[in-house]
Amino acid sequence: MSTSRPHVIATTLLALATSGFAASAQEIIPPGPNGRGAILIYGNFCGPGNRGPGYTPIDALDRACAHHDVCSADPMSGTLTACACNRRLEVEAGVVARDPRTPAQTREAARFIADFAAALPCQ
């Protein structure tokens, strides 16, 4: 039995919302004029969706998420993101997670995002 993409997304969002980390960092951005919203778990770009035009990444982790957003398929297209995009996010977030100069909370978020990127479906 195959799992539908909306079911996978809903399950993932539920997991994010119920985890201790995500619950303290999550921000829900309501849909704007383009009809899209976002659930951000870090910065302006980390999580399903983003803040949209006019925002810049707040640091290296947020920049990694912005790179992934640019690389990713449009979620409305029904296609999966290329595996190379997810791998790039995993690598870039992993670098942040291992950087001792990065604040501990940001390293924790980076490890979470790197692990999540490794588990994302792709084509």
Side-chain angles (χ1 to χ4, degrees):
M1 182 168 128
S2 72
T3 304
S4 69
R5 183 163 169 78
H7 177 73
V8 170
I9 292 170
T11 302
T12 301
L13 293 178
L14 179 61
L16 286 172
T18 58
S19 75
F21 166 74
S24 65
Q26 179 176 321
E27 182 177 0
I28 298 175
I29 309 298
N34 66 1
R36 290 195 207 160
I39 297 178
L40 298 174
I41 59 171
Y42 186 85
N44 294 319
F45 297 92
C46 296
N50 62 54
R51 289 192 183 277
Y55 288 87
T56 58
I58 62 171
D59 59 16
L61 176 57
D62 204 27
R63 191 169 22 266
C65 293
H67 291 159
H68 185 258
D69 286 357
V70 169
C71 186
S72 297
D74 179 351
M76 300 303 186
S77 71
T79 61
L80 291 175
T81 297
C83 294
C85 297
N86 294 348
R87 177 70 180 138
R88 178 179 181 179
L89 177 57
E90 179 186 3
V91 168
E92 290 182 6
V95 168
V96 174
R98 292 184 302 276
D99 185 347
R101 298 169 296 174
T102 301
Q105 187 174 5
T106 302
R107 288 195 318 267
E108 180 183 329
R111 175 53 37 216
F112 175 81
I113 291 166
D115 291 345
F116 186 72
L120 285 171
C122 61
Q123 63 179 4

